[in-house]
Amino acid sequence: MKQLSLIFLILASLNLSAQFSIAPQITINYSNFEVDYFGDFLREPEQKKFFPSFGLRLNYVFNRVLVSTDFNINLKNEFNLIHDDLEYDPPIFAKVSSKDINFSTSYNLIDNLFVGTGIKFLSYTNIQTKRGIYVERFLYTNYYAMLSASYIIKNISMELSISRYLSVIGKSDDKAFNELIRASEIFSLKVGYNISFNKRDSKG
């Protein structure tokens, strides 16, 4: 997040006549999560989920190009990880607290519509699995390629995006798993309110 914010400060300093804004936003996400835990013993390795998130977006608009980055915190989701190694073994519940960072560049096609591509980093900061008194926590990061369409009118911004899973960065802290929970695709609808710091200079 600090690195992306620094990029925006540099861009703003290069051209103060461009439009630079910050936007609090709320997001509704939908995804088909795939849970990789206990190998092939899972009874339901795929679970479809809706989950909201809250975040902050930075926008930099110059001519017809929009560069955006946003940071979001996703609410906890609970996964019922039922496995079949024992007939009467109780289910394991996994609570996920995660954050995501997005970076995208798009182009103004018509009026206030911007279309572009980017990358999504999904960092699972607290994955807790529990069965009885047995608790484990994991930390790792997935990343995704992203296609997005943004519509900005006055101070309201809306973005519809689809993110496709690419790979995982690193491993969990204390396990050999390359990944524990991932989403093959994530559909997101973001709505934000732009607060501009500077406007384009008027001419004439």
Side-chain angles (χ1 to χ4, degrees):
M1 183 62 179
K2 292 180 179 179
Q3 292 84 350
L4 296 180
S5 300
L6 180 60
I7 292 174
F8 272 82
L9 290 176
I10 293 173
L11 288 174
S13 64
L14 291 177
N15 195 323
L16 296 178
S17 65
Q19 186 178 25
F20 183 70
S21 63
I22 186 170
Q25 68 180 12
I26 184 171
T27 308
I28 299 297
N29 308 279
Y30 172 79
S31 181
N32 183 15
F33 278 87
E34 298 178 13
V35 184
D36 181 14
Y37 197 76
F38 292 119
D40 296 328
F41 292 115
L42 277 179
R43 191 178 303 166
E44 298 180 12
E46 296 186 5
Q47 301 177 40
K48 296 179 180 179
K49 304 285 290 185
F50 277 99
F51 60 98
S53 57
F54 302 90
L56 204 61
R57 170 185 293 269
L58 295 174
N59 296 310
Y60 178 83
V61 182
F62 178 65
N63 291 336
R64 301 178 68 88
V65 177
L66 168 65
V67 181
S68 295
T69 184
D70 58 283
F71 174 82
N72 305 280
I73 297 178
N74 305 320
L75 298 186
K76 287 186 176 181
N77 299 296
E78 188 169 276
F79 295 84
N80 190 358
L81 308 185
I82 303 174
H83 56 91
D84 294 331
D85 54 348
L86 294 175
E87 183 178 356
Y88 299 104
D89 205 30
I92 295 177
F93 295 95
K95 292 184 177 181
V96 181
S97 298
S98 62
K99 59 185 178 182
D100 66 76
I101 300 173
N102 306 277
F103 184 81
S104 64
T105 302
S106 53
Y107 185 77
N108 183 206
L109 292 181
I110 53 173
D111 296 331
N112 299 308
L113 179 65
F114 296 81
V115 177
T117 61
I119 190 167
K120 171 190 286 287
F121 294 90
L122 210 61
S123 175
Y124 294 98
T125 57
N126 183 13
I127 297 180
Q128 176 178 308
T129 60
K130 183 176 183 180
R131 182 176 60 190
I133 61 173
Y134 181 66
V135 177
E136 287 183 322
R137 287 181 172 84
F138 304 90
L139 174 62
Y140 68 101
T141 302
N142 286 330
Y143 69 96
Y144 302 74
M146 181 173 66
L147 293 176
S148 62
S150 302
Y151 187 76
I152 301 177
I153 180 169
K154 294 184 178 179
N155 291 333
I156 303 298
S157 64
M158 293 177 290
E159 180 188 275
L160 180 63
S161 65
I162 176 174
S163 304
R164 179 66 181 178
Y165 172 80
L166 293 177
S167 185
V168 66
I169 301 175
K171 298 181 179 180
S172 59
D173 284 347
D174 55 357
K175 291 292 179 181
F177 305 132
N178 286 330
E179 54 193 285
L180 180 66
I181 299 176
R182 69 179 177 89
S184 54
E185 290 179 318
I186 299 177
F187 296 89
S188 300
L189 175 62
K190 302 175 182 178
V191 179
Y193 184 83
N194 293 319
I195 303 172
S196 297
F197 286 97
N198 50 289
K199 298 289 186 178
R200 294 184 180 90
D201 294 335
S202 59
K203 296 181 180 180

